[in-house]
Amino acid sequence: MTDSRDSDGSLLPDSERLTGFGRFLRKTSLDELPELFNVLKGDMSLVDPRPLLMQYLDRYTPEQARRHEVKPGITGWAQVNGRNALTWEEKFKLDVWYVNNRSLWLDLKIIAMTIWKILIREGINQPGQATMEEFNPQITQINTD
């Protein structure tokens, strides 16, 4: 991504900052490969909820925060069930479901499903976004009221 900003100095949306090479990396999921080093170091798992931005930590409900009961992962239940096409609420619900139901069999199923999702390139972007909109529960709540 570029560091392009508007006249006020704010970063432009991801879709406007993403380069052609960046789009290729995202479509092929090659942008995830560096995370394998974190798995080898033991900081991440192959399968568990995806890590999110640190700035989101104080925005979680207690139920949503349960996703942190496990290490962050490269892929997870939310990724194979919609990835960035899901709402934040749907992602968190799937992440917590995974925390409650994790098993070796489920992890193997998620890995197989991940390979398939990469091959068919499904759910890479949220509609209208280059990646995913920022998690902001106040805005989400206003939009659903």
Side-chain angles (χ1 to χ4, degrees):
M1 277 197 199
T2 67
D3 194 29
S4 300
R5 297 176 183 270
D6 63 18
S7 59
D8 295 328
S10 300
L11 284 173
L12 293 174
D14 289 353
S15 59
E16 295 180 38
R17 296 185 303 127
L18 199 57
T19 64
F21 183 63
R23 271 188 280 286
F24 169 77
L25 291 175
R26 293 238 354 116
K27 284 182 181 178
T28 58
S29 294
L30 290 172
D31 60 329
E32 305 294 340
L33 287 179
E35 292 179 346
L36 287 176
F37 292 112
N38 292 322
V39 172
L40 294 174
K41 286 182 7 182
D43 295 337
M44 290 181 75
S45 298
L46 280 177
V47 179
D48 274 330
R50 294 277 299 148
L52 297 175
L53 298 173
M54 295 290 290
Q55 69 193 41
Y56 296 171
L57 287 174
D58 62 346
R59 301 177 188 178
Y60 299 130
T61 66
E63 182 69 8
Q64 292 168 342
R66 293 201 51 235
R67 67 190 311 279
H68 296 287
E69 293 176 10
V70 296
K71 285 183 183 180
I74 292 178
T75 187
W77 192 237
Q79 281 62 51
V80 297
N81 285 290
R83 203 171 174 183
N84 287 331
L86 298 171
T87 66
W88 282 108
E89 290 73 22
E90 291 167 329
K91 275 187 181 190
F92 292 134
K93 184 176 179 181
L94 291 169
D95 286 344
V96 172
W97 182 91
Y98 171 80
V99 169
N100 291 334
N101 295 282
R102 62 193 294 231
S103 67
L104 177 61
W105 172 245
L106 182 58
D107 286 357
L108 293 173
K109 179 178 178 176
I110 291 170
I111 290 169
M113 290 174 71
T114 298
I115 293 167
W116 176 247
K117 296 288 184 174
I118 290 170
L119 292 174
I120 64 171
R121 299 179 179 172
E122 183 178 84
I124 295 169
N125 304 14
Q126 185 179 48
Q129 302 283 329
T131 54
M132 179 78 181
E133 70 181 349
E134 179 180 346
F135 170 58
N136 191 337
Q138 289 81 22
I139 291 174
T140 304
Q141 188 173 14
I142 290 168
N143 289 339
T144 60
D145 288 344

